[in-house]
Amino acid sequence: MKKIEKQSTLKRILAIRGMGQVITVAFGLVILCIIFGILNPTFFSGRNIGNLLRQIAPILLIGIGQSYVLITGNIDLSIGSVVGMSCMISATLMTKGVNPWVAVLITLICCIAVGIMNGELVAYCKLPPFIATLGTMTVARGIAQIVNNNYNTDSIGAGAKGFRDFFYYGRTFGIYNTIWITIILWLIFNFILSKTRTGRHIYAIGSNLEASRLSGVNIVSTTIKAYIVSTFCSCVVGLIICATSGMGTMDAGNVYEMYAVAASVIGGVSTLGGQGILLGTVIGASIWGVLQNGLQFAGAPVAIRNIVIGIIVVISVLLDIIVRTGGKPRKKKEAVVSENGVKA
């Protein structure tokens, strides 16, 4: 009897969206840590683990945003440019004498505006998400370049000490604030995605857009919310980079959209929409961090690290498509008929 109850419990856990793949990927993460620990015992040192967590934090943040968008069945290619825009706008305002927290607020408004624009272009204007966010990616990078006349900023100065402590140097209970910020945001966005009506709508439109529309889901509003989460997380990462370097750099966030996709897809978020959980994104971002850190210890150059991660992303996407489609070419989602006979 107890055996049957245990089997039922296991089935319920695996029935959670993407949980089976998350468990598999988590097992792979453990194997990677063991291998790198054997190759170099300092991999498990307290100092390296602390550095590893600080490396993972920004990747997890942008991964959360990309996961929201991917689950709706779309993609956000503007993430890296929004990171750069956030870094440059906040730093430029601070070097002009604006209060750091006012600068943060203005930066946040600008980044959220990009998210709203992405959502409107994709859901209201019905542009392909690849094209829409490719355009806003270029716009955001252009803003990052023009905001300080095509120059990186000077140091944001001693007046921004509180800002730098909050977003990078400061610690609470012995743990860097960067890590706390990431944990708190993950808890909030995980709750929204898994426990609220907005979260259910995000999964619904990623699973079947037309059925969701006929069921009364506001497609435009839900899509905009997903893109706002993405640009909000990117904005926070830009602020962290600004606090870390103490200045604004125009190329901040380059190729971060690729890292965001890597964290999401490796963690089991489907590129076809409707499937994935943020716990998987944590595992995906951790694998990215462990690979970067472990290969660095092994003396692998940056190019090799990027190649390895790129290959893993391609394999993850390929496996996802094979599993979801049974290896057959992807077809348009079939219409369903509701009880009143309306085709969805």
Side-chain angles (χ1 to χ4, degrees):
M1 188 67 180
K2 288 183 177 179
K3 186 177 180 181
I4 294 174
E5 289 177 354
K6 286 182 180 178
Q7 288 177 343
S8 300
T9 303
L10 180 60
K11 285 181 179 178
R12 283 199 298 272
I13 293 173
L14 294 177
I16 299 174
R17 297 180 179 93
M19 181 56 84
Q21 187 169 343
V22 171
I23 294 174
T24 304
V25 176
F27 181 73
L29 174 63
V30 173
I31 297 295
L32 271 179
C33 290
I34 293 173
I35 291 173
F36 286 129
I38 293 173
L39 291 175
N40 192 331
T42 57
F43 179 81
F44 286 119
S45 66
R47 183 176 182 182
N48 186 55
I49 290 175
N51 289 332
L52 184 59
L53 290 176
R54 295 181 86 183
Q55 290 173 0
I56 291 173
I59 303 304
L60 174 56
L61 282 173
I62 56 174
I64 290 171
Q66 190 68 275
S67 296
Y68 261 70
V69 176
L70 286 176
I71 292 172
T72 65
N74 299 303
I75 192 168
D76 188 356
L77 297 180
S78 67
I79 281 177
S81 295
V82 173
V83 170
M85 190 180 85
S86 167
C87 181
M88 280 300 294
I89 290 178
S90 56
T92 302
L93 290 172
M94 288 182 220
T95 54
K96 301 295 182 185
V98 177
N99 180 286
W101 300 110
V102 175
V104 168
L105 180 61
I106 295 172
T107 304
L108 189 59
I109 292 172
C110 294
C111 292
I112 287 177
V114 176
I116 294 173
M117 186 185 302
N118 280 335
E120 290 281 357
L121 290 173
V122 171
Y124 185 75
C125 300
K126 303 187 187 308
L127 287 181
F130 178 82
I131 300 299
T133 57
L134 192 64
T136 52
M137 176 184 78
T138 307
V139 171
R141 185 61 68 185
I143 293 173
Q145 292 168 338
I146 202 173
V147 72
N148 197 43
N149 297 321
N150 289 309
Y151 288 103
N152 293 332
T153 70
D154 298 326
S155 170
I156 55 179
K161 183 178 181 304
F163 165 78
R164 298 192 71 183
D165 284 346
F166 182 81
F167 279 103
Y168 191 69
Y169 290 114
R171 298 188 189 201
T172 304
F173 302 119
I175 299 175
Y176 283 106
N177 288 345
T178 314
I179 299 172
W180 282 118
I181 292 169
T182 305
I183 292 173
I184 292 170
L185 289 180
W186 182 87
L187 288 172
I188 293 172
F189 289 126
N190 186 58
F191 176 81
I192 293 172
L193 192 61
S194 60
K195 301 293 183 184
T196 69
R197 188 170 62 174
T198 297
R200 290 193 291 275
H201 288 177
I202 287 173
Y203 280 109
I205 67 174
S207 299
N208 192 319
L209 185 65
E210 286 307 310
S212 302
R213 191 195 309 277
L214 293 177
S215 299
V217 176
N218 190 325
I219 305 298
V220 175
S221 172
T222 305
T223 305
I224 288 174
K225 288 175 185 174
Y227 275 107
I228 286 177
V229 171
S230 179
T231 50
F232 173 82
C233 292
S234 303
C235 178
V236 175
V237 173
L239 295 172
I240 291 173
I241 292 176
C242 178
T244 305
S245 61
M247 60 181 290
T249 50
M250 292 184 293
D251 60 350
N254 266 346
V255 303
Y256 268 37
E257 53 276 354
M258 186 269 187
Y259 298 155
V261 171
S264 304
V265 174
I266 293 173
V269 177
S270 175
T271 55
L272 303 181
Q275 185 169 326
I277 54 177
L278 293 189
L279 178 60
T281 308
V282 175
I283 306 296
S286 299
I287 285 183
W288 178 93
V290 167
L291 276 173
Q292 288 279 1
N293 189 273
L295 290 173
Q296 188 176 5
F297 268 119
V302 176
I304 298 297
R305 285 180 251 160
N306 288 336
I307 290 172
V308 170
I309 293 174
I311 291 173
I312 290 176
V313 171
V314 171
I315 292 175
S316 300
V317 174
L318 190 60
L319 288 176
D320 172 54
I321 292 174
I322 291 174
V323 170
R324 296 282 298 269
T325 64
K328 298 176 181 178
R330 189 184 179 191
K331 296 178 180 179
K332 290 184 178 178
K333 291 171 181 173
E334 295 179 356
V336 296
V337 181
S338 62
E339 292 181 353
N340 58 7
V342 177
K343 288 186 177 181

